[in-house]
Coordinates of all heavy atoms in Angstrom, one line a residue:
M1 N -75.8 151.7 -95.8 CA -75.6 150.5 -96.5 C -74.3 150.5 -97.4 O -73.7 149.5 -97.5 CB -76.8 150.3 -97.4 CG -76.9 148.9 -98.1 SD -77.2 147.7 -96.8 CE -77.3 146.3 -97.8
A2 N -74.0 151.7 -97.9 CA -72.8 151.8 -98.7 C -71.5 151.6 -97.8 O -70.5 151.0 -98.3 CB -72.7 153.1 -99.4
A3 N -71.6 152.0 -96.6 CA -70.5 151.8 -95.6 C -70.2 150.3 -95.4 O -69.1 149.9 -95.3 CB -70.7 152.6 -94.3
L4 N -71.3 149.6 -95.3 CA -71.2 148.2 -95.1 C -70.5 147.5 -96.3 O -69.7 146.6 -96.1 CB -72.6 147.6 -94.8 CG -72.6 146.1 -94.5 CD1 -71.8 145.7 -93.3 CD2 -74.1 145.6 -94.4
A5 N -70.9 147.9 -97.4 CA -70.3 147.4 -98.6 C -68.8 147.6 -98.7 O -68.0 146.8 -99.0 CB -71.0 147.9 -99.9
W6 N -68.4 148.8 -98.3 CA -67.0 149.2 -98.3 C -66.2 148.4 -97.2 O -65.0 148.2 -97.3 CB -66.8 150.7 -98.1 CG -67.0 151.4 -99.3 CD1 -68.0 152.2 -99.7 CD2 -66.1 151.4 -100.5 NE1 -67.9 152.7 -100.9 CE2 -66.7 152.3 -101.5 CE3 -64.9 150.8 -100.8 CZ2 -66.1 152.5 -102.7 CZ3 -64.3 151.1 -102.0 CH2 -64.9 151.9 -102.9
L7 N -66.9 148.0 -96.1 CA -66.2 147.2 -95.1 C -66.2 145.7 -95.5 O -65.3 145.0 -95.1 CB -67.0 147.3 -93.8 CG -66.9 148.7 -93.1 CD1 -67.8 148.7 -91.9 CD2 -65.4 149.0 -92.7
L8 N -67.1 145.3 -96.3 CA -67.1 143.9 -96.8 C -66.1 143.6 -97.8 O -65.6 142.5 -97.9 CB -68.5 143.5 -97.3 CG -69.6 143.3 -96.2 CD1 -70.9 143.0 -96.8 CD2 -69.2 142.3 -95.2
I9 N -65.7 144.6 -98.6 CA -64.7 144.4 -99.7 C -63.4 143.9 -99.1 O -62.8 142.9 -99.6 CB -64.6 145.6 -100.6 CG1 -65.9 145.8 -101.4 CG2 -63.4 145.6 -101.5 CD1 -66.0 147.2 -102.1
P10 N -62.8 144.6 -98.1 CA -61.5 144.1 -97.6 C -61.7 142.8 -96.9 O -60.7 142.0 -96.9 CB -61.1 145.2 -96.6 CG -61.9 146.4 -96.9 CD -63.2 145.9 -97.6
L11 N -62.9 142.6 -96.3 CA -63.1 141.3 -95.6 C -63.0 140.1 -96.6 O -62.4 139.1 -96.4 CB -64.4 141.3 -94.9 CG -64.8 140.0 -94.2 CD1 -63.9 139.7 -93.0 CD2 -66.2 140.0 -93.8
F12 N -63.7 140.3 -97.7 CA -63.6 139.3 -98.8 C -62.3 139.1 -99.4 O -61.8 138.0 -99.7 CB -64.7 139.5 -99.9 CG -66.1 139.3 -99.5 CD1 -67.1 140.2 -99.7 CD2 -66.4 138.1 -98.8 CE1 -68.4 139.9 -99.3 CE2 -67.7 137.8 -98.4 CZ -68.7 138.8 -98.6
A13 N -61.5 140.2 -99.5 CA -60.2 140.2 -100.1 C -59.3 139.4 -99.1 O -58.4 138.6 -99.5 CB -59.7 141.6 -100.3
A14 N -59.4 139.7 -97.8 CA -58.6 139.0 -96.8 C -58.9 137.5 -96.8 O -58.0 136.6 -96.7 CB -58.8 139.6 -95.4
L15 N -60.2 137.2 -96.9 CA -60.6 135.8 -97.0 C -60.0 135.1 -98.2 O -59.5 134.0 -98.1 CB -62.1 135.7 -96.9 CG -62.7 134.3 -96.9 CD1 -62.3 133.6 -95.6 CD2 -64.2 134.3 -97.0
G16 N -60.1 135.7 -99.4 CA -59.5 135.2 -100.6 C -58.0 135.0 -100.5 O -57.5 134.0 -101.0
A17 N -57.4 136.0 -99.9 CA -55.9 135.9 -99.7 C -55.5 134.7 -98.8 O -54.6 134.0 -99.0 CB -55.3 137.2 -99.2
A18 N -56.3 134.5 -97.8 CA -56.1 133.4 -96.8 C -56.3 132.0 -97.6 O -55.5 131.1 -97.4 CB -57.0 133.5 -95.6
I19 N -57.3 131.9 -98.4 CA -57.5 130.7 -99.1 C -56.4 130.5 -100.1 O -55.9 129.4 -100.3 CB -58.9 130.7 -99.8 CG1 -60.0 130.7 -98.7 CG2 -59.1 129.6 -100.8 CD1 -61.4 130.9 -99.3
W20 N -56.0 131.5 -100.8 CA -55.0 131.4 -101.8 C -53.6 131.0 -101.2 O -52.9 130.2 -101.6 CB -54.8 132.7 -102.6 CG -53.7 132.6 -103.6 CD1 -53.8 132.1 -104.8 CD2 -52.4 133.1 -103.5 NE1 -52.5 132.2 -105.5 CE2 -51.7 132.9 -104.6 CE3 -51.8 133.8 -102.4 CZ2 -50.4 133.2 -104.8 CZ3 -50.4 134.2 -102.6 CH2 -49.8 133.9 -103.8
G21 N -53.4 131.6 -100.0 CA -52.1 131.3 -99.3 C -52.1 129.9 -98.8 O -51.0 129.3 -98.9
S22 N -53.2 129.4 -98.3 CA -53.2 128.0 -97.9 C -53.0 127.1 -99.1 O -52.5 126.0 -99.0 CB -54.4 127.7 -97.1 OG -55.6 127.8 -97.9
W23 N -53.6 127.4 -100.2 CA -53.5 126.6 -101.4 C -52.0 126.6 -101.9 O -51.5 125.5 -102.3 CB -54.4 127.2 -102.5 CG -54.3 126.4 -103.8 CD1 -53.6 126.8 -104.9 CD2 -54.9 125.1 -104.1 NE1 -53.7 125.8 -105.9 CE2 -54.6 124.8 -105.5 CE3 -55.7 124.3 -103.4 CZ2 -55.0 123.7 -106.1 CZ3 -56.2 123.1 -104.1 CH2 -55.8 122.8 -105.3
V24 N -51.3 127.7 -101.9 CA -50.0 127.8 -102.4 C -49.0 127.0 -101.5 O -48.1 126.4 -102.0 CB -49.5 129.3 -102.5 CG1 -48.0 129.4 -102.7 CG2 -50.3 129.9 -103.6
T25 N -49.2 127.0 -100.2 CA -48.3 126.3 -99.3 C -48.7 124.9 -99.0 O -48.1 124.3 -98.0 CB -48.2 127.1 -97.9 OG1 -49.5 127.2 -97.4 CG2 -47.7 128.5 -98.2
R26 N -49.6 124.3 -99.7 CA -50.0 122.9 -99.5 C -48.8 122.0 -99.7 O -47.9 122.3 -100.4 CB -51.2 122.5 -100.3 CG -50.9 122.4 -101.8 CD -52.1 122.3 -102.6 NE -51.8 122.0 -104.0 CZ -51.4 122.9 -104.9 NH1 -51.3 124.2 -104.5 NH2 -51.2 122.6 -106.1
N27 N -48.9 120.8 -99.1 CA -47.9 119.8 -99.2 C -48.1 119.0 -100.5 O -49.1 118.3 -100.7 CB -48.0 118.8 -98.0 CG -46.8 117.9 -98.0 OD1 -45.9 118.0 -98.8 ND2 -46.8 117.0 -97.0
R28 N -47.1 119.1 -101.4 CA -47.2 118.5 -102.7 C -46.2 117.4 -102.9 O -45.7 117.2 -104.0 CB -47.1 119.5 -103.8 CG -48.3 120.5 -103.9 CD -48.1 121.5 -104.9 NE -47.1 122.5 -104.4 CZ -46.7 123.5 -105.1 NH1 -47.2 123.8 -106.2 NH2 -45.8 124.4 -104.5
T29 N -45.7 116.7 -101.9 CA -44.7 115.8 -102.0 C -45.2 114.3 -102.2 O -44.4 113.4 -102.2 CB -43.8 115.8 -100.7 OG1 -44.6 115.5 -99.6 CG2 -43.1 117.2 -100.6
A30 N -46.5 114.2 -102.4 CA -47.0 112.8 -102.5 C -46.5 112.1 -103.8 O -46.3 110.9 -103.7 CB -48.5 112.9 -102.6
G31 N -46.3 112.8 -104.9 CA -45.8 112.1 -106.1 C -44.3 112.0 -106.2 O -43.8 111.4 -107.2
D32 N -43.6 112.4 -105.2 CA -42.1 112.4 -105.3 C -41.6 111.0 -105.2 O -40.5 110.6 -105.8 CB -41.5 113.2 -104.2 CG -41.6 114.7 -104.5 OD1 -42.0 115.1 -105.6 OD2 -41.4 115.5 -103.6
V33 N -42.2 110.1 -104.5 CA -41.7 108.7 -104.3 C -41.7 108.0 -105.6 O -40.6 107.4 -106.0 CB -42.6 108.0 -103.3 CG1 -42.2 106.5 -103.2 CG2 -42.6 108.7 -101.9
S34 N -42.7 108.1 -106.4 CA -42.7 107.4 -107.7 C -41.7 108.0 -108.7 O -41.1 107.3 -109.5 CB -44.1 107.3 -108.3 OG -44.6 108.6 -108.6
E35 N -41.6 109.3 -108.6 CA -40.7 110.0 -109.5 C -39.2 109.7 -109.2 O -38.4 109.4 -110.1 CB -40.9 111.5 -109.5 CG -42.2 112.0 -110.0 CD -42.4 113.5 -109.9 OE1 -41.5 114.2 -109.5 OE2 -43.5 113.9 -110.1
L36 N -38.9 109.6 -107.9 CA -37.6 109.2 -107.5 C -37.3 107.8 -107.8 O -36.1 107.4 -108.2 CB -37.4 109.5 -106.0 CG -37.3 110.9 -105.6 CD1 -37.3 111.0 -104.1 CD2 -36.1 111.6 -106.2
A37 N -38.2 106.9 -107.7 CA -38.0 105.5 -108.1 C -37.8 105.4 -109.6 O -36.9 104.6 -110.0 CB -39.2 104.7 -107.7
G38 N -38.5 106.1 -110.4 CA -38.3 106.1 -111.8 C -36.9 106.7 -112.2 O -36.2 106.2 -113.1
Y39 N -36.5 107.7 -111.5 CA -35.1 108.3 -111.7 C -34.0 107.3 -111.3 O -33.0 107.1 -112.0 CB -35.0 109.6 -110.9 CG -33.6 110.2 -111.1 CD1 -33.2 110.7 -112.4 CD2 -32.7 110.3 -110.1 CE1 -32.0 111.3 -112.5 CE2 -31.5 110.9 -110.2 CZ -31.1 111.4 -111.5 OH -29.9 111.9 -111.7
A40 N -34.3 106.5 -110.3 CA -33.3 105.5 -109.8 C -33.2 104.4 -110.9 O -32.1 103.9 -111.2 CB -33.7 104.9 -108.5
R41 N -34.3 104.0 -111.5 CA -34.3 103.0 -112.5 C -33.6 103.5 -113.8 O -32.8 102.8 -114.4 CB -35.7 102.6 -112.9 CG -36.4 101.7 -111.9 CD -37.7 101.1 -112.4 NE -38.6 102.1 -112.9 CZ -39.6 102.7 -112.2 NH1 -39.7 102.4 -111.0 NH2 -40.4 103.5 -112.8
F42 N -33.8 104.8 -114.1 CA -33.1 105.4 -115.2 C -31.6 105.4 -115.0 O -30.8 105.1 -115.9 CB -33.6 106.8 -115.4 CG -32.9 107.6 -116.4 CD1 -33.0 107.4 -117.7 CD2 -32.0 108.6 -115.9 CE1 -32.3 108.2 -118.7 CE2 -31.3 109.4 -116.9 CZ -31.4 109.1 -118.2
R43 N -31.2 105.8 -113.8 CA -29.7 105.8 -113.5 C -29.1 104.4 -113.6 O -28.0 104.2 -114.2 CB -29.5 106.4 -112.1 CG -29.6 107.9 -112.1 CD -29.3 108.5 -110.8 NE -28.2 107.8 -110.1 CZ -27.9 108.0 -108.9 NH1 -28.6 108.8 -108.1 NH2 -26.8 107.4 -108.3
E44 N -29.8 103.4 -113.1 CA -29.3 102.0 -113.2 C -29.2 101.6 -114.6 O -28.2 101.0 -115.0 CB -30.2 101.1 -112.4 CG -30.2 101.3 -110.9 CD -31.2 100.4 -110.2 OE1 -31.9 99.7 -110.9 OE2 -31.3 100.6 -109.0
A45 N -30.2 101.9 -115.4 CA -30.2 101.5 -116.9 C -29.0 102.2 -117.6 O -28.3 101.6 -118.4 CB -31.5 101.9 -117.5
M46 N -28.8 103.5 -117.3 CA -27.7 104.2 -117.9 C -26.3 103.7 -117.5 O -25.4 103.6 -118.3 CB -27.7 105.7 -117.6 CG -28.9 106.4 -118.2 SD -29.0 106.2 -120.0 CE -27.7 107.3 -120.5
E47 N -26.2 103.3 -116.2 CA -24.9 102.7 -115.7 C -24.7 101.3 -116.4 O -23.5 101.0 -116.7 CB -25.0 102.6 -114.2 CG -24.8 103.9 -113.5 CD -25.0 103.7 -112.0 OE1 -25.2 102.6 -111.5 OE2 -25.0 104.8 -111.3
K48 N -25.7 100.6 -116.6 CA -25.6 99.3 -117.2 C -25.2 99.4 -118.7 O -24.3 98.6 -119.2 CB -26.9 98.5 -117.1 CG -27.2 97.9 -115.8 CD -28.5 97.2 -115.8 CE -28.9 96.8 -114.4 NZ -30.2 96.1 -114.4
S49 N -25.7 100.4 -119.4 CA -25.4 100.5 -120.8 C -24.0 101.1 -121.0 O -23.4 100.8 -122.1 CB -26.4 101.4 -121.5 OG -26.3 102.8 -121.0
H50 N -23.4 101.8 -120.1 CA -22.1 102.3 -120.2 C -21.0 101.5 -119.5 O -19.8 101.9 -119.6 CB -22.1 103.8 -119.7 CG -22.8 104.7 -120.6 ND1 -22.5 104.9 -121.9 CD2 -23.9 105.5 -120.3 CE1 -23.3 105.8 -122.4 NE2 -24.2 106.1 -121.5
S51 N -21.4 100.5 -118.8 CA -20.4 99.8 -117.9 C -19.4 99.0 -118.8 O -18.2 98.9 -118.4 CB -21.1 98.8 -117.0 OG -21.8 97.9 -117.7
G52 N -19.7 98.5 -119.9 CA -18.8 97.7 -120.7 C -18.2 98.4 -121.9 O -17.4 97.9 -122.6
S53 N -18.6 99.6 -122.1 CA -18.1 100.3 -123.3 C -16.9 101.2 -122.9 O -16.8 101.7 -121.8 CB -19.2 101.2 -123.9 OG -19.5 102.2 -123.0
E54 N -15.9 101.3 -123.9 CA -14.8 102.2 -123.7 C -14.9 103.4 -124.6 O -15.3 103.3 -125.7 CB -13.5 101.4 -124.1 CG -13.2 100.2 -123.2 CD -11.9 99.6 -123.5 OE1 -11.1 100.2 -124.2 OE2 -11.7 98.4 -123.1
V55 N -14.4 104.5 -124.0 CA -14.4 105.7 -124.8 C -13.1 105.9 -125.5 O -12.0 105.8 -124.9 CB -14.6 107.0 -123.8 CG1 -14.5 108.3 -124.6 CG2 -15.9 106.8 -123.1
V56 N -13.1 106.1 -126.8 CA -11.9 106.2 -127.6 C -11.6 107.6 -127.9 O -12.3 108.4 -128.2 CB -12.0 105.3 -128.9 CG1 -10.7 105.5 -129.7 CG2 -12.3 103.9 -128.5

């Protein structure tokens, strides 16, 4: 019975590593579209505020 326990420990460790690896490499690009749109609006606003001013 003790031998079975020692064989199950690496099995559970490998299973945990596989789950963790798949979690780390998941696709997280779903929120990029809204963030890029917000950044584009920010750039447009900054260009508008500086378009008529002169640096002395």
